[in-house]
Amino acid sequence: MITLQLPKVPMPSRVFELVMDAIPEPVCQAVYAAEDAKREVLRYRPLVCDEDRADREAALARMARENKTLAKFNPGLIVRGAA
């Protein structure tokens, strides 16, 4: 099974393209969306104000939705570390 774990050494762009070609398009989009949601979650402080809390909860929900897509393909692709 192909995973999207980043190697310790730089991966040539052509190799990355070949790996991404082997993975279905919805899964590729879910990987990018989950990583974006994780960055958003980490950006908000949970107890600062109501707007930040609402934005953080929305980003957590988005990350959970994308993680469900990733888990269907391969549970090892789930994005962690934001909660």
Side-chain angles (χ1 to χ4, degrees):
M1 180 62 59
I2 298 172
T3 62
L4 293 179
Q5 301 291 331
L6 294 176
K8 302 291 183 199
V9 295
M11 181 186 294
S13 59
R14 182 66 185 135
V15 174
F16 179 75
E17 290 172 11
L18 289 172
V19 169
M20 295 307 281
D21 286 343
I23 298 174
E25 184 64 28
V27 175
C28 293
Q29 291 174 352
V31 168
Y32 293 125
E35 287 294 332
D36 289 343
K38 178 182 174 183
R39 277 192 293 277
E40 284 184 38
V41 167
L42 295 175
R43 189 177 68 185
Y44 295 115
R45 295 189 183 122
L47 301 175
V48 174
C49 69
D50 290 337
E51 291 175 0
D52 281 353
R53 273 186 242 143
D55 291 341
R56 184 173 190 272
E57 290 298 321
L60 280 171
R62 185 171 145 222
M63 190 171 79
R65 209 172 29 251
E66 300 303 336
N67 273 339
K68 286 180 185 177
T69 302
L70 295 175
K72 287 178 189 174
F73 182 72
N74 179 357
L77 295 176
I78 294 175
V79 175
R80 293 181 171 86

